[in-house]
Amino acid sequence: MLVRIFIAAATLLFSSITLANEPVDMNDPYKMVQQVADNTFKRITKDQDVIVANKEHLRVIVEQELLPYIDYKYAAYRVLGSYIQKVRNIKDKEEKEQAITHIKQFIEVFKNYLVATYAGVFTQYTNQQVEFSPAKEFADEQVAIVKTTIVEPGKPDIKIDFKVRRDSNNEWRAYDMMAEGISLLDAKQSELHGILRQQGIEHVIELLDKKSRLPVQFRGDDGSK
């Protein structure tokens, strides 16, 4: 299921939509998602020769066109889950400082892991189309869900919901996506929970760091993520 989530997410970000190439409106969650999709698609088209010569260039595109609109810090906290509260309850000062340092390291490698993952998934785009559901009122909301449907001839539609949250500056950033009701963050939390509990956060950091440094390529059919 994670494979389908990532492929569908890449499709969303690559799908051409009819918006002007202008600065992203981060005060509107619906416009933000659509404009980021449009700008990313245009950048991929523009840099296609560079990408063909070197797939690692996809990391640059992800970092410049997509990452500024992802709240990866909040997403990392969500993945760590109850571990955050465990650290907050630590009484020993030195132990707590060390744990906080590990959390900061996890956030950084989680960000790099997301960049590497999306860069790899983007190699799977095959001209699918995306349909955006109508925007809803969000003035009094802290979280909004941008609903989309991925359409590909001869295959079942895939429903993708992007979850975005408003920060203290009134700007909206995506922090999770759901494919057919399956949360990407929940799936990643389940995957890492046992490792975190049994081998500790340092091992999880090392694991994600190694994965983020692998050459850009799609991983999924062989079970790797």
Side-chain angles (χ1 to χ4, degrees):
M1 176 56 78
L2 275 177
V3 174
R4 295 181 73 236
I5 291 175
F6 283 137
I7 291 176
T11 299
L12 171 62
L13 292 168
F14 276 125
S15 297
S16 180
I17 54 181
T18 57
L19 292 175
N21 189 12
E22 57 187 19
V24 174
D25 183 357
M26 298 183 68
N27 295 315
D28 184 320
Y30 299 93
K31 288 182 180 179
M32 184 272 289
V33 171
Q34 293 189 42
Q35 287 175 315
V36 169
D38 190 42
N39 290 344
T40 304
F41 175 80
K42 290 176 180 177
R43 177 68 181 277
I44 292 292
T45 301
K46 174 177 170 290
D47 292 3
Q48 191 58 225
D49 289 344
V50 180
I51 295 168
V52 170
N54 181 16
K55 288 183 180 179
E56 294 297 316
H57 184 65
L58 285 167
R59 293 185 197 258
V60 176
I61 295 176
V62 172
E63 289 173 350
Q64 294 180 353
E65 305 294 344
L66 178 59
L67 194 60
Y69 310 103
I70 294 179
D71 193 344
Y72 61 84
K73 182 176 181 179
Y74 181 74
Y77 282 151
R78 289 284 298 267
V79 170
L80 287 176
S82 60
Y83 181 81
I84 297 294
Q85 187 58 50
K86 179 181 177 182
V87 171
R88 288 174 179 158
N89 292 335
I90 295 175
K91 302 300 182 183
D92 183 81
K93 184 178 179 180
E94 283 190 23
E95 183 183 353
K96 190 166 189 174
E97 287 179 353
Q98 174 115 24
I100 290 173
T101 297
H102 287 152
I103 290 175
K104 291 178 179 178
Q105 291 171 343
F106 176 85
I107 292 170
E108 185 64 21
V109 298
F110 186 73
K111 177 189 74 174
N112 295 338
Y113 171 76
L114 287 178
V115 170
T117 298
Y118 279 109
V121 173
F122 288 169
T123 63
Q124 299 299 296
Y125 175 67
T126 56
N127 201 34
Q128 297 92 336
Q129 297 298 314
V130 63
E131 297 175 354
F132 288 87
S133 297
K136 294 184 178 181
E137 178 56 47
F138 61 89
D140 298 324
E141 303 295 332
Q142 293 301 311
V143 173
I145 298 178
V146 181
K147 294 180 177 292
T148 69
T149 302
I150 309 302
V151 179
E152 185 175 2
K155 295 185 179 180
D157 293 348
I158 301 176
K159 295 186 182 298
I160 295 288
D161 296 342
F162 262 82
K163 300 177 81 170
V164 295
R165 65 187 293 265
R166 190 201 305 262
D167 65 18
S168 58
N169 295 319
N170 203 42
E171 294 182 339
W172 293 83
R173 286 180 173 82
Y175 71 91
D176 192 12
M177 67 183 74
M178 298 179 67
E180 302 295 342
I182 304 298
S183 163
L184 173 62
L185 287 189
D186 288 350
K188 183 54 62 178
Q189 184 185 53
S190 296
E191 176 191 340
L192 296 178
H193 179 72
I195 302 174
L196 182 63
R197 186 182 67 254
Q198 296 172 16
Q199 302 184 57
I201 192 170
E202 291 179 86
H203 183 78
V204 172
I205 290 170
E206 182 181 357
L207 179 66
L208 288 183
D209 186 52
K210 285 181 178 179
K211 289 186 176 184
S212 70
R213 294 176 186 274
L214 292 171
V216 171
Q217 60 182 334
F218 179 69
R219 301 177 181 89
D221 293 339
D222 62 354
S224 59
K225 305 178 182 68

